[in-house]
């Protein structure tokens, strides 16, 4: 039995596998700068967040139609099912598609159709979170968010992603206030490459319910104490941190230290097609390098479920699945 988990930090566009990128490029008559799979694969050596984002934004240009979004969402859920995911809160970047002239209804309609089909086939429940680019003006984010709300597009929350350094959360205060006023959940990437101060701003000014990444909180003891007291969820992505060089090697990854400090951390995959694996691969890599007891795995899985935006009865049902997994793990060992 796979460990049952909630995937809370995954960018849909980051699930585009190289083969899919080239197939969709051909199908949609998009010319990419890489003539072959081999050339494309050579691009996957990143020096920092920006070097990854440059490739990520170039490749997502192959997505054109509602069917493309439907297909890649379903493909992700098939892979997620095989890795133990029972619930997903999926990120997408509306600005990345709007700036290429693709309508919000096509993007969200396609993703929602994929999520619905995935739930029917695999029983994976879902939420959908629109992430705004911090490298674009907050006025752009606010305008798009107003449209999403006014036109009644089906999203459950908003997030904040893309280049972090130089774009502090304070810039997006009005966007997040508007989202909260309209009953949307709010999360933000903070403390991936950016300083602990960005995490503090995300908490105090954006009033987020979760911090995505957050690993640089360890540089500020008072902040760690606060995050522990508030049991603020931190969605940590170990393979991403190594591939984007925010951590030197997995053996140096602070995940276990964060757990030991009582932080509410969970493991996620970020952009699995770019960083070497889905949520199960992240668990396996951490286990290999840092060692995880069955009890620690179960804690990480329970944290993911408790940190989700599911209602209490659904959280209880999934947590019971984790308890059953732990019981079976104890019996097998
Ligand atoms: N960090 C910030 N923005 C992103 C990422 C990430 O890992 N993936 C897609 N957008
Ligand atoms: Zn991310």
């Amino acid at each position: 039995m796979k460990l049952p988990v909630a995937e809370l930090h995954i960018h849909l566009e980051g699930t585009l596998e190289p083969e899919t990128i080239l197939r969709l490029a051909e199908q949609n008559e998009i010319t990419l700068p890489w003539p072959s799979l081999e050339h494309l694969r050579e691009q996957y050596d990143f020096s920092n967040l920006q070097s990854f984002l440059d490739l990520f934004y170039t490749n997502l240009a192959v997505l054109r139609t509602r069917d493309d979004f439907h297909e890649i969402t379903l493909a992700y859920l098939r892979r997620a099912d095989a890795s133990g995911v029972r619930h997903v809160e999926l990120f997408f970047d509306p600005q990345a598609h709007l700036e290429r002239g693709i309508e919000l209804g096509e993007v969200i309609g396609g993703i929602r159709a994929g999520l619905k089909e995935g739930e029917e086939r695999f029983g994976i429940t879902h939420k959908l979170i629109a992430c705004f680019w911090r490298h674009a003006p907050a006025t752009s984010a606010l305008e798009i968010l107003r449209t999403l709300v006014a036109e009644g597009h089906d999203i459950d929350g908003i997030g904040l992603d893309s280049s972090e350094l130089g774009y502090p959360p304070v810039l997006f205060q009005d966007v997040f206030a508007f989202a909260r006023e309209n009953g949307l959940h709010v999360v933000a990437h903070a403390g991936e490459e950016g300083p602990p101060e960005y995490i503090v701003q995300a908490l105090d000014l954006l009033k987020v319910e979760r911090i995505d990444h957050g690993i640089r909180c360890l540089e500020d003891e008072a902040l760690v104490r606060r995050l522990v007291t508030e049991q603020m969820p931190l969605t940590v992505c170990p393979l991403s941190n190594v591939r984007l060089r925010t951590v030197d090697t997995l053996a140096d990854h602070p995940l276990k230290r964060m757990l030991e400090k009582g932080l509410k951390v969970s493991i996620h995959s970020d952009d699995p097609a770019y960083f070497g694996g889905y949520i199960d691969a992240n668990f396996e890599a951490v286990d290999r390098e840092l060692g995880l007891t069955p009890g620690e795995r179960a804690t990480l899985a329970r944290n993911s479920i408790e940190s989700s935006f599911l209602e209490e009865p659904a959280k209880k049902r999934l947590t019971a699945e984790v308890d059953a997994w732990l019981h079976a793990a104890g019996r097998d060992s």
Side-chain angles (χ1 to χ4, degrees), residues 43-325:
Q43 312 304 314
Y44 286 57
D45 183 18
F46 310 116
S47 50
N48 55 23
L49 173 60
Q50 192 59 51
S51 65
F52 153 70
L53 290 171
D54 292 343
L55 180 68
F56 172 90
Y57 295 134
T58 302
N59 287 340
L60 62 76
V62 301
L63 297 168
R64 301 292 321 177
T65 68
R66 177 185 287 249
D67 282 350
D68 295 339
F69 287 96
H70 181 161
E71 179 199 314
I72 66 159
T73 303
L74 191 59
Y76 163 64
L77 292 171
R78 189 173 294 114
R79 183 63 188 75
D81 178 49
S83 46
V85 173
R86 307 288 295 117
H87 173 71
V88 61
E89 303 196 348
L90 186 63
F91 294 153
F92 73 105
D93 281 357
Q95 286 148 309
H97 309 301
L98 277 171
E99 74 165 14
R100 300 179 299 113
I102 302 172
E103 287 175 17
L104 287 171
E106 293 288 294
V107 177
I108 296 171
I111 298 173
R112 280 288 181 193
L115 289 170
K116 182 165 176 287
E117 191 175 340
E119 180 165 4
E120 288 159 5
R121 286 203 198 180
F122 311 117
I124 300 174
T125 54
H126 43 81
K127 306 274 177 197
L128 184 58
I129 297 176
C131 283
F132 291 104
W133 279 346
R134 44 196 342 144
H135 72 263
T139 46
S140 151
L142 189 55
E143 187 185 321
I144 296 163
L145 180 58
R146 283 185 189 282
T147 306
L148 283 166
V149 170
E151 295 181 356
H153 289 285
D154 194 4
I155 58 165
D156 299 295
I158 69 159
L160 193 61
D161 69 1
S162 187
S163 328
E164 186 178 7
L165 286 168
Y167 302 101
V170 60
L171 299 171
F172 295 86
Q173 223 168 328
D174 293 349
V175 180
F176 277 67
F178 184 81
R180 294 195 316 273
E181 281 158 19
N182 283 279
L184 293 167
H185 288 293
V186 286
V187 300
H189 284 54
E192 178 184 16
E193 282 191 343
E197 171 60 19
Y198 285 17
I199 301 175
V200 175
Q201 285 188 14
L203 297 173
D204 290 342
L205 306 180
L206 307 188
K207 304 189 194 317
V208 295
E209 298 162 84
R210 288 198 299 254
I211 297 284
D212 294 312
H213 293 296
I215 58 172
R216 287 196 60 190
C217 73
L218 294 172
E219 296 166 30
D220 179 339
E221 272 178 39
L223 174 58
V224 169
R225 279 196 298 277
R226 173 182 180 182
L227 293 168
V228 171
T229 304
E230 294 179 9
Q231 284 294 284
M232 175 58 56
L234 306 175
T235 62
V236 175
C237 306
L239 288 174
S240 165
N241 296 150
V242 174
R243 293 295 292 273
L244 299 187
R245 307 195 187 192
T246 52
V247 170
D248 288 338
T249 69
L250 260 187
D252 305 308
H253 198 282
L255 181 95
K256 288 261 290 202
R257 269 186 288 144
M258 296 173 87
L259 258 185
E260 284 156 13
K261 284 178 187 287
L263 288 161
K264 198 172 185 73
V265 288
S266 46
I267 289 185
H268 305 284
S269 63
D270 212 1
D271 300 279
Y274 287 87
F275 300 147
Y278 290 76
I279 199 165
D280 50 346
N282 274 272
F283 268 90
E284 281 156 25
V286 170
D287 184 34
R288 196 168 53 242
E289 293 299 323
L290 302 173
L292 287 175
T293 64
E296 286 169 332
R297 284 169 171 253
T299 298
L300 289 161
R302 275 192 215 102
N303 285 352
S304 74
I305 294 160
E306 287 163 10
S307 302
S308 76
F309 298 135
L310 282 167
E311 300 292 330
E312 279 309 315
K315 285 187 182 178
K316 282 214 168 67
R317 268 197 308 279
L318 289 184
T319 304
E321 289 187 25
V322 176
D323 294 342
W325 175 90

